[in-house]
Amino acid sequence: MRFLLTCCPLFLLLVLGGLTTAGAVPEGPDLPEDLSSLSISQLKNIKLSKVTLSSRKEEELFDATASIYVITQEDIRRSGMLSVPELLRLVPGLEVAQIDGNKWAITSRGFNTRFSSKMLILVDGRSVYTTVFSGVFWDQIDYPLEDIERIEVIKGPGGTLWGANAVNGVINIITKNAKDTEGGYVTSGAGNLENGFGTARYGVKLGEDTALRVYGKYFNRDEMAADAVTPAVDQWESGRGGFRADWQPSSKNKVSVQGEYFRGESGLSAPNVVTAPIALVNPRRNEEEGFEGGHFMGRWDHTFSKTSDMQLQVFYNRESRFGLSFQTDLHIDTYDLDFQHRFQPLERHEITWGLGQRFVLDDFKNTMNMGFVQANRTNYIIGGFLQDTWSVIPDKLKLTLGSKVSVNSYTGVEVQPSGRGLWTIDDKQSAWVAFSRAVRIPSRITDGARVDLATSPGPGGVTAVAALIGDKDVKSEELFSMEMGYRVQPHKKLYIDVSLFYNFYESLLTFEPGLPALELTPAPPHLLVPLRAGNLASGETYGMELVTKWEVMKRWRLEGGFSWLEIDLDKDWNSRDLVTPPSSGKSPEFQWKLRSFVDLPYKLEWDTSLFYVDRLTNMGTPQYTRLDMRLGWRPRENLELSVGVLNLMDGEHYEFGPVSEFNRVSPTRVPRSGYGKVTFKF
Amino acid sequence: MRAALVLCLAVACLPESALANDVSIEHKIKAAFTFNFIKYIDWAEKSSDPADSEFVISIIGDGPINSALAELENKEVFGKPLKVRFVPDLESAGPSNVYFINVSAQEELDSIFQKARQWGVLTVGEMDEFCERGGIINFVILDDSIHFEINQKEAQRAHLSISYKLLNQASRVIR
């Protein structure tokens, strides 16, 4: 059965392939036969990737020495998805599981959890990965979806270029240049889960070479499917406003400035785990977690010559969370400076080097059940990298060797080298191989915090409290990775991308039970069972990812993805860890997806996505198939109406549950939902 | 692995009709742009005046756009029929209103621009630094669609006056 399920999309592809000869969809381009009848502005609006697969985007992909996937603006518009984490479902091989209405577990190549520590997330090069928690608060990552240019997703290590925590992958959300967003639009909609959402943007040209856009976005999402016992209280509400200005005084200089402010609230229903009449572990449920933050960023690009350029980027980021697990409040300020320079000292060598520094200032409000040794602290990471791209045989064989060396306040010096090779077989196929090392540095929690997990009746009627205890001697988790890939475009309408990987991890995080001790405060006296952070596990993961894009005909595109992942982790002989669930049961072994984009007559678009996700043994999640559908209508160039139905096939299902992770969030079920949306440009 | 096998099979079964080759959409769009540009330029001031009876685009060098531009043949501009001529190099180019310069003629760029300035010919290209080197209109791909940049200084040197409507649509104007 499992085999059948995994091979099903390919079978479907075959069947569909047969259908096309029968002419199920009318042939002929969307555009008039004679393009010269169109106006200049109409011509400028034609999207190349929409009409042909062999666009520049794929050509660039042929030179990449990593498993990379790009979500384009067209993909975003036609996905029917309404939030950034949901959009990531489009990436073949990425693990995207919705925990409840406002929380996601997202990673690539294993180790999925609410705070996936090994996946780095950037917005325009600004890291939104919270080093304090080693993860991402997905509920605060958002942007007007129409102004995202593309989302680049790299599966596999990227430590050499991006630094620490880019262990299993990097996601970079790239927003449009302000000069490409002239004019305004408003979009608004609602549905059975969406109480309402709306975005407004206006872009202006300020003089000859400067452009500015300002935007605002708000949404309010209802609770997901309720449990028989616990009502779901996972509603989600957030608003943001921001701007981006781009100034290009000459062809050699580009300056970009952006800023944003956001705030919101995420409901959560924590399970009631208290078994003794003691308020040690807060029996909270039905709470709201508030968040607020913003950033300011500037970037300068300077071109010296065709082979030499530099970038300088500075940002300040502030985020606050209120009423976090155990009612902790948290404020984080990040100051970051990054410099990069590329030049060609020798004919066949291109050197890229850079320097960067980041200071993270945090401030926690310690509570009875969650406390930090130092309630506020400044952490830093300072480093540099050097990379040489050597064209061994021009246009045929390219080697990229480099390393990042950085110093951080948790673990000291970390070296993250990589070697990559690209063989351009011909202009329609290429193969690559990569060897890399990457590290995940400890978080504030594993470095020095106490988090009470659960209480139970102990010996002699004394309550026992199990608590995670951070340890400043915790080391970085390490990865040694081997990857290879092959891309081919056997025909200009067909693109296939396969990657294989073998990862070996060392010093994986464990929680080692220590000797129980009697604690007198807070009263009543109780027994503390410490679970001390350590690095006593290692293991391997391996698998493959496959992406294929096929333009069946001008009006119909198909995209398929398949991934396979095996995880084999072991605790060291001296580890007595009982709480850390083996991560192997939190990632699906197989996943596949099939997406279809059909341009119907009368300016209608009909888009379908089918996702299959294998079961998650440790979360008790059965395998599921999810079907999303969108129907769009563009009666005029400046008006778009669309309706979407998400999770059409089953009434509701868990994606990361019903078992709760130890961070005590109750998973809820993803219900069937539908919405309508209007976009008007002016 | 089985999946890969099935996929190969799927590829082998690709219907022939889906594989029909045609002129690339990118070049069709660029040809349509070129046709549009003509209408936004005031040619009155000075023109090489091929023959008063026709309007001539000369394509210098061989390139993928040639067949797309050829489709413009005999369209009407300013009441005259449009003629498209293919010339392998500058030497063989006769009197023209527009030069479309293919990447293959890159070597000759400087002499082409010199002649164009002299005769008041609009130069259009699709290569890096075309405008910087003295070309008038260059195609660039931005955000997955085709845009163009204009070197207004060069246009003035060739006594071509470009309408503000067109300048406003350019992604970049060199003044």
Short mmCIF file of all heavy atoms in Angstrom, two decimals, chain A residues 169-221:
data_model
loop_
_atom_site.label_atom_id
_atom_site.label_comp_id
_atom_site.label_asym_id
_atom_site.label_seq_id
_atom_site.Cartn_x
_atom_site.Cartn_y
_atom_site.Cartn_z
N GLY A 169 19.20 23.43 6.09
CA GLY A 169 18.63 24.18 4.99
C GLY A 169 18.55 25.67 5.29
O GLY A 169 18.75 26.12 6.42
N VAL A 170 18.30 26.44 4.23
CA VAL A 170 18.18 27.89 4.32
C VAL A 170 16.97 28.31 3.51
O VAL A 170 16.78 27.84 2.39
CB VAL A 170 19.43 28.59 3.74
CG1 VAL A 170 19.33 30.10 3.92
CG2 VAL A 170 20.71 28.06 4.34
N ILE A 171 16.15 29.18 4.07
CA ILE A 171 15.02 29.74 3.33
C ILE A 171 15.23 31.24 3.27
O ILE A 171 15.42 31.87 4.30
CB ILE A 171 13.68 29.43 4.02
CG1 ILE A 171 13.42 27.92 4.04
CG2 ILE A 171 12.52 30.16 3.34
CD1 ILE A 171 12.19 27.50 4.84
N ASN A 172 15.24 31.81 2.07
CA ASN A 172 15.41 33.26 1.94
C ASN A 172 14.21 33.83 1.20
O ASN A 172 13.95 33.48 0.06
CB ASN A 172 16.71 33.59 1.20
CG ASN A 172 17.10 35.06 1.34
OD1 ASN A 172 16.44 35.82 2.05
ND2 ASN A 172 18.16 35.46 0.67
N ILE A 173 13.48 34.70 1.89
CA ILE A 173 12.31 35.34 1.29
C ILE A 173 12.79 36.67 0.72
O ILE A 173 13.34 37.50 1.45
CB ILE A 173 11.22 35.57 2.36
CG1 ILE A 173 10.80 34.21 2.95
CG2 ILE A 173 10.02 36.32 1.79
CD1 ILE A 173 10.02 34.31 4.23
N ILE A 174 12.64 36.85 -0.59
CA ILE A 174 13.17 38.05 -1.24
C ILE A 174 12.00 38.91 -1.70
O ILE A 174 11.15 38.46 -2.46
CB ILE A 174 14.08 37.65 -2.42
CG1 ILE A 174 15.28 36.88 -1.84
CG2 ILE A 174 14.54 38.86 -3.20
CD1 ILE A 174 15.94 35.97 -2.81
N THR A 175 11.97 40.16 -1.20
CA THR A 175 10.85 41.02 -1.56
C THR A 175 11.21 41.84 -2.80
O THR A 175 12.38 41.98 -3.16
CB THR A 175 10.47 41.97 -0.41
OG1 THR A 175 11.53 42.92 -0.22
CG2 THR A 175 10.27 41.20 0.88
N LYS A 176 10.19 42.36 -3.45
CA LYS A 176 10.41 43.08 -4.72
C LYS A 176 11.13 44.39 -4.49
O LYS A 176 10.94 45.05 -3.47
CB LYS A 176 9.06 43.36 -5.37
CG LYS A 176 8.44 42.15 -6.00
CD LYS A 176 7.16 42.56 -6.71
CE LYS A 176 6.47 41.36 -7.31
NZ LYS A 176 5.12 41.70 -7.77
N ASN A 177 11.89 44.80 -5.48
CA ASN A 177 12.50 46.12 -5.51
C ASN A 177 11.36 47.14 -5.62
O ASN A 177 10.40 46.92 -6.34
CB ASN A 177 13.40 46.18 -6.75
CG ASN A 177 14.25 47.42 -6.77
OD1 ASN A 177 13.75 48.54 -6.67
ND2 ASN A 177 15.55 47.22 -6.90
N ALA A 178 11.49 48.25 -4.89
CA ALA A 178 10.40 49.24 -4.89
C ALA A 178 10.11 49.77 -6.29
O ALA A 178 8.99 50.17 -6.59
CB ALA A 178 10.74 50.38 -3.95
N LYS A 179 11.11 49.75 -7.18
CA LYS A 179 10.83 50.30 -8.51
C LYS A 179 9.98 49.35 -9.36
O LYS A 179 9.45 49.76 -10.38
CB LYS A 179 12.12 50.74 -9.21
CG LYS A 179 12.98 49.68 -9.77
CD LYS A 179 14.15 50.36 -10.50
CE LYS A 179 14.83 49.43 -11.47
NZ LYS A 179 15.64 48.41 -10.85
N ASP A 180 9.82 48.11 -8.88
CA ASP A 180 8.92 47.18 -9.57
C ASP A 180 7.53 47.16 -8.95
O ASP A 180 6.70 46.31 -9.32
CB ASP A 180 9.51 45.77 -9.55
CG ASP A 180 10.81 45.69 -10.30
OD1 ASP A 180 10.96 46.45 -11.27
OD2 ASP A 180 11.68 44.89 -9.92
N THR A 181 7.28 48.01 -7.97
CA THR A 181 5.97 47.99 -7.33
C THR A 181 5.34 49.37 -7.37
O THR A 181 4.81 49.85 -6.39
CB THR A 181 6.07 47.52 -5.86
OG1 THR A 181 7.03 48.34 -5.17
CG2 THR A 181 6.50 46.09 -5.75
N GLU A 182 5.41 49.98 -8.56
CA GLU A 182 4.77 51.28 -8.73
C GLU A 182 3.26 51.09 -8.76
O GLU A 182 2.77 50.10 -9.28
CB GLU A 182 5.24 51.89 -10.05
CG GLU A 182 5.74 53.30 -9.91
CD GLU A 182 6.09 53.86 -11.26
OE1 GLU A 182 7.03 53.35 -11.89
OE2 GLU A 182 5.39 54.78 -11.68
N GLY A 183 2.54 52.03 -8.21
CA GLY A 183 1.09 51.94 -8.22
C GLY A 183 0.58 51.27 -6.97
O GLY A 183 1.35 50.92 -6.07
N GLY A 184 -0.72 51.09 -6.91
CA GLY A 184 -1.28 50.53 -5.68
C GLY A 184 -2.11 49.30 -5.93
O GLY A 184 -2.49 49.00 -7.05
N TYR A 185 -2.35 48.57 -4.88
CA TYR A 185 -3.35 47.51 -4.94
C TYR A 185 -3.94 47.31 -3.56
O TYR A 185 -3.33 47.65 -2.55
CB TYR A 185 -2.76 46.19 -5.48
CG TYR A 185 -1.88 45.44 -4.51
CD1 TYR A 185 -2.44 44.62 -3.54
CD2 TYR A 185 -0.50 45.52 -4.60
CE1 TYR A 185 -1.63 43.94 -2.66
CE2 TYR A 185 0.31 44.84 -3.72
CZ TYR A 185 -0.26 44.05 -2.74
OH TYR A 185 0.54 43.39 -1.87
N VAL A 186 -5.15 46.81 -3.56
CA VAL A 186 -5.76 46.37 -2.31
C VAL A 186 -6.24 44.96 -2.53
O VAL A 186 -6.73 44.61 -3.61
CB VAL A 186 -6.97 47.22 -1.86
CG1 VAL A 186 -6.54 48.36 -0.99
CG2 VAL A 186 -7.79 47.69 -3.01
N THR A 187 -6.07 44.13 -1.53
CA THR A 187 -6.61 42.78 -1.63
C THR A 187 -7.33 42.50 -0.32
O THR A 187 -6.91 42.94 0.75
CB THR A 187 -5.51 41.75 -1.96
OG1 THR A 187 -6.04 40.45 -1.74
CG2 THR A 187 -4.28 41.93 -1.13
N SER A 188 -8.43 41.80 -0.44
CA SER A 188 -9.23 41.57 0.74
C SER A 188 -10.02 40.28 0.55
O SER A 188 -10.31 39.88 -0.57
CB SER A 188 -10.18 42.75 0.91
OG SER A 188 -11.02 42.51 1.99
N GLY A 189 -10.33 39.62 1.65
CA GLY A 189 -11.09 38.39 1.53
C GLY A 189 -11.49 37.84 2.87
O GLY A 189 -11.12 38.36 3.92
N ALA A 190 -12.26 36.76 2.83
CA ALA A 190 -12.71 36.10 4.05
C ALA A 190 -13.14 34.69 3.71
O ALA A 190 -13.34 34.35 2.54
CB ALA A 190 -13.87 36.86 4.67
N GLY A 191 -13.25 33.85 4.74
CA GLY A 191 -13.69 32.48 4.52
C GLY A 191 -14.17 31.89 5.82
O GLY A 191 -14.32 32.59 6.82
N ASN A 192 -14.37 30.54 5.83
CA ASN A 192 -14.90 29.95 7.05
C ASN A 192 -13.86 29.92 8.17
O ASN A 192 -14.19 29.94 9.34
CB ASN A 192 -15.48 28.56 6.78
CG ASN A 192 -14.42 27.55 6.39
OD1 ASN A 192 -13.39 27.92 5.84
ND2 ASN A 192 -14.66 26.29 6.68
N LEU A 193 -12.56 29.86 7.80
CA LEU A 193 -11.51 29.90 8.80
C LEU A 193 -10.94 31.32 8.89
O LEU A 193 -10.47 31.76 9.92
CB LEU A 193 -10.40 28.92 8.39
CG LEU A 193 -9.50 28.35 9.47
CD1 LEU A 193 -10.31 27.68 10.56
CD2 LEU A 193 -8.51 27.37 8.87
N GLU A 194 -11.00 32.01 7.77
CA GLU A 194 -10.49 33.37 7.69
C GLU A 194 -11.61 34.33 8.07
O GLU A 194 -12.54 34.53 7.31
CB GLU A 194 -10.04 33.69 6.26
CG GLU A 194 -9.03 32.73 5.66
CD GLU A 194 -7.71 32.79 6.38
OE1 GLU A 194 -7.37 33.85 6.92
OE2 GLU A 194 -7.01 31.76 6.41
N ASN A 195 -11.48 34.94 9.23
CA ASN A 195 -12.49 35.93 9.60
C ASN A 195 -12.37 37.17 8.74
O ASN A 195 -13.32 37.93 8.60
CB ASN A 195 -12.34 36.30 11.07
CG ASN A 195 -12.68 35.14 11.97
OD1 ASN A 195 -13.49 34.29 11.60
ND2 ASN A 195 -12.06 35.08 13.12
N GLY A 196 -11.20 37.36 8.18
CA GLY A 196 -11.00 38.50 7.30
C GLY A 196 -9.52 38.77 7.13
O GLY A 196 -8.75 38.59 8.06
N PHE A 197 -9.14 39.16 5.91
CA PHE A 197 -7.75 39.55 5.70
C PHE A 197 -7.72 40.65 4.65
O PHE A 197 -8.62 40.75 3.82
CB PHE A 197 -6.88 38.36 5.29
CG PHE A 197 -7.34 37.62 4.07
CD1 PHE A 197 -6.95 38.03 2.80
CD2 PHE A 197 -8.15 36.50 4.17
CE1 PHE A 197 -7.36 37.35 1.67
CE2 PHE A 197 -8.58 35.82 3.04
CZ PHE A 197 -8.19 36.24 1.79
N GLY A 198 -6.71 41.47 4.73
CA GLY A 198 -6.61 42.56 3.77
C GLY A 198 -5.20 43.11 3.70
O GLY A 198 -4.47 43.10 4.69
N THR A 199 -4.81 43.53 2.51
CA THR A 199 -3.49 44.12 2.31
C THR A 199 -3.68 45.35 1.43
O THR A 199 -4.51 45.33 0.52
CB THR A 199 -2.57 43.14 1.55
OG1 THR A 199 -2.56 41.90 2.22
CG2 THR A 199 -1.14 43.67 1.48
N ALA A 200 -2.94 46.40 1.71
CA ALA A 200 -2.93 47.56 0.83
C ALA A 200 -1.49 47.97 0.64
O ALA A 200 -0.69 47.95 1.56
CB ALA A 200 -3.73 48.69 1.44
N ARG A 201 -1.17 48.30 -0.61
CA ARG A 201 0.18 48.76 -0.89
C ARG A 201 0.09 49.93 -1.87
O ARG A 201 -0.76 49.93 -2.75
CB ARG A 201 1.01 47.62 -1.49
CG ARG A 201 2.41 48.04 -1.90
CD ARG A 201 2.55 48.27 -3.37
NE ARG A 201 2.72 47.04 -4.11
CZ ARG A 201 2.56 46.97 -5.42
NH1 ARG A 201 2.22 48.04 -6.11
NH2 ARG A 201 2.72 45.83 -6.04
N TYR A 202 0.98 50.89 -1.70
CA TYR A 202 1.07 51.94 -2.68
C TYR A 202 2.54 52.25 -2.97
O TYR A 202 3.33 52.41 -2.05
CB TYR A 202 0.33 53.21 -2.23
CG TYR A 202 0.18 54.18 -3.36
CD1 TYR A 202 -0.67 53.87 -4.42
CD2 TYR A 202 0.91 55.34 -3.41
CE1 TYR A 202 -0.79 54.72 -5.51
CE2 TYR A 202 0.80 56.21 -4.51
CZ TYR A 202 -0.04 55.88 -5.55
OH TYR A 202 -0.14 56.71 -6.63
N GLY A 203 2.88 52.28 -4.23
CA GLY A 203 4.27 52.53 -4.61
C GLY A 203 4.37 53.77 -5.48
O GLY A 203 3.54 53.98 -6.36
N VAL A 204 5.35 54.60 -5.22
CA VAL A 204 5.54 55.81 -6.02
C VAL A 204 6.99 55.94 -6.46
O VAL A 204 7.90 55.43 -5.82
CB VAL A 204 5.19 57.10 -5.25
CG1 VAL A 204 3.72 57.32 -5.22
CG2 VAL A 204 5.80 57.09 -3.86
N LYS A 205 7.18 56.65 -7.56
CA LYS A 205 8.52 57.01 -8.00
C LYS A 205 8.84 58.36 -7.42
O LYS A 205 8.08 59.31 -7.60
CB LYS A 205 8.55 57.07 -9.54
CG LYS A 205 9.31 55.92 -10.14
CD LYS A 205 9.54 56.13 -11.62
CE LYS A 205 10.50 55.07 -12.13
NZ LYS A 205 10.43 54.87 -13.56
N LEU A 206 9.91 58.45 -6.68
CA LEU A 206 10.32 59.73 -6.12
C LEU A 206 11.49 60.22 -6.96
O LEU A 206 12.62 59.87 -6.69
CB LEU A 206 10.77 59.59 -4.66
CG LEU A 206 9.78 58.97 -3.67
CD1 LEU A 206 10.46 58.71 -2.36
CD2 LEU A 206 8.60 59.89 -3.49
N GLY A 207 11.19 60.93 -7.99
CA GLY A 207 12.26 61.40 -8.85
C GLY A 207 12.73 60.31 -9.80
O GLY A 207 12.09 59.26 -9.92
N GLU A 208 13.84 60.58 -10.42
CA GLU A 208 14.31 59.77 -11.53
C GLU A 208 14.68 58.35 -11.14
O GLU A 208 14.27 57.39 -11.75
CB GLU A 208 15.53 60.47 -12.16
CG GLU A 208 15.76 60.08 -13.57
CD GLU A 208 14.46 59.92 -14.35
OE1 GLU A 208 13.66 60.88 -14.46
OE2 GLU A 208 14.25 58.80 -14.84
N ASP A 209 15.45 58.22 -10.07
CA ASP A 209 15.98 56.89 -9.80
C ASP A 209 15.67 56.39 -8.39
O ASP A 209 16.38 55.57 -7.84
CB ASP A 209 17.50 56.88 -10.05
CG ASP A 209 18.14 58.22 -9.78
OD1 ASP A 209 17.79 58.82 -8.73
OD2 ASP A 209 18.93 58.68 -10.61
N THR A 210 14.61 56.92 -7.81
CA THR A 210 14.22 56.47 -6.47
C THR A 210 12.77 56.03 -6.48
O THR A 210 11.93 56.64 -7.14
CB THR A 210 14.37 57.62 -5.45
OG1 THR A 210 15.65 58.20 -5.65
CG2 THR A 210 14.27 57.11 -4.04
N ALA A 211 12.50 54.95 -5.80
CA ALA A 211 11.12 54.47 -5.71
C ALA A 211 10.85 54.05 -4.27
O ALA A 211 11.76 53.63 -3.55
CB ALA A 211 10.89 53.31 -6.66
N LEU A 212 9.59 54.19 -3.88
CA LEU A 212 9.20 53.88 -2.50
C LEU A 212 7.87 53.15 -2.51
O LEU A 212 6.99 53.47 -3.32
CB LEU A 212 9.07 55.19 -1.71
CG LEU A 212 8.36 55.11 -0.35
CD1 LEU A 212 9.31 54.55 0.71
CD2 LEU A 212 7.85 56.48 0.08
N ARG A 213 7.74 52.17 -1.64
CA ARG A 213 6.40 51.61 -1.45
C ARG A 213 6.11 51.53 0.03
O ARG A 213 7.03 51.33 0.84
CB ARG A 213 6.26 50.23 -2.11
CG ARG A 213 6.95 49.11 -1.39
CD ARG A 213 6.39 47.73 -1.77
NE ARG A 213 7.25 46.68 -1.23
CZ ARG A 213 8.26 46.13 -1.86
NH1 ARG A 213 8.57 46.53 -3.08
NH2 ARG A 213 8.98 45.20 -1.29
N VAL A 214 4.85 51.72 0.36
CA VAL A 214 4.42 51.55 1.75
C VAL A 214 3.30 50.51 1.73
O VAL A 214 2.58 50.39 0.74
CB VAL A 214 3.91 52.86 2.38
CG1 VAL A 214 5.06 53.81 2.65
CG2 VAL A 214 2.87 53.52 1.51
N TYR A 215 3.19 49.73 2.80
CA TYR A 215 2.18 48.69 2.81
C TYR A 215 1.64 48.47 4.20
O TYR A 215 2.26 48.85 5.21
CB TYR A 215 2.76 47.39 2.26
CG TYR A 215 3.92 46.84 3.07
CD1 TYR A 215 3.71 46.04 4.19
CD2 TYR A 215 5.23 47.14 2.71
CE1 TYR A 215 4.78 45.56 4.93
CE2 TYR A 215 6.30 46.67 3.44
CZ TYR A 215 6.08 45.88 4.55
OH TYR A 215 7.12 45.41 5.29
N GLY A 216 0.49 47.86 4.21
CA GLY A 216 -0.12 47.45 5.47
C GLY A 216 -0.85 46.15 5.25
O GLY A 216 -1.36 45.90 4.15
N LYS A 217 -0.87 45.30 6.25
CA LYS A 217 -1.54 44.01 6.10
C LYS A 217 -2.15 43.61 7.42
O LYS A 217 -1.55 43.84 8.47
CB LYS A 217 -0.52 42.96 5.65
CG LYS A 217 -1.11 41.57 5.44
CD LYS A 217 -0.09 40.59 4.89
CE LYS A 217 -0.75 39.22 4.69
NZ LYS A 217 0.13 38.26 4.09
N TYR A 218 -3.32 43.03 7.37
CA TYR A 218 -3.97 42.57 8.60
C TYR A 218 -4.74 41.30 8.30
O TYR A 218 -5.29 41.13 7.22
CB TYR A 218 -4.94 43.64 9.12
CG TYR A 218 -5.84 43.12 10.23
CD1 TYR A 218 -5.37 43.05 11.54
CD2 TYR A 218 -7.13 42.66 9.96
CE1 TYR A 218 -6.17 42.54 12.55
CE2 TYR A 218 -7.92 42.15 10.96
CZ TYR A 218 -7.44 42.09 12.25
OH TYR A 218 -8.22 41.57 13.25
N PHE A 219 -4.76 40.38 9.26
CA PHE A 219 -5.65 39.23 9.13
C PHE A 219 -6.10 38.74 10.49
O PHE A 219 -5.45 39.00 11.50
CB PHE A 219 -4.99 38.08 8.35
CG PHE A 219 -3.79 37.50 9.05
CD1 PHE A 219 -3.94 36.56 10.05
CD2 PHE A 219 -2.52 37.91 8.70
CE1 PHE A 219 -2.84 36.03 10.70
CE2 PHE A 219 -1.41 37.39 9.35
CZ PHE A 219 -1.56 36.45 10.34
N ASN A 220 -7.21 38.06 10.48
CA ASN A 220 -7.75 37.46 11.70
C ASN A 220 -8.26 36.09 11.32
O ASN A 220 -9.14 35.94 10.48
CB ASN A 220 -8.90 38.34 12.22
CG ASN A 220 -9.44 37.83 13.54
OD1 ASN A 220 -9.49 36.63 13.79
ND2 ASN A 220 -9.83 38.75 14.39
N ARG A 221 -7.63 35.08 11.92
CA ARG A 221 -7.97 33.70 11.55
C ARG A 221 -8.64 33.01 12.73
O ARG A 221 -8.23 33.17 13.87
CB ARG A 221 -6.68 32.96 11.16
CG ARG A 221 -6.93 31.69 10.42
CD ARG A 221 -5.66 31.22 9.76
NE ARG A 221 -5.27 32.11 8.67
CZ ARG A 221 -4.20 31.92 7.90
NH1 ARG A 221 -3.41 30.89 8.13
NH2 ARG A 221 -3.91 32.75 6.93
#
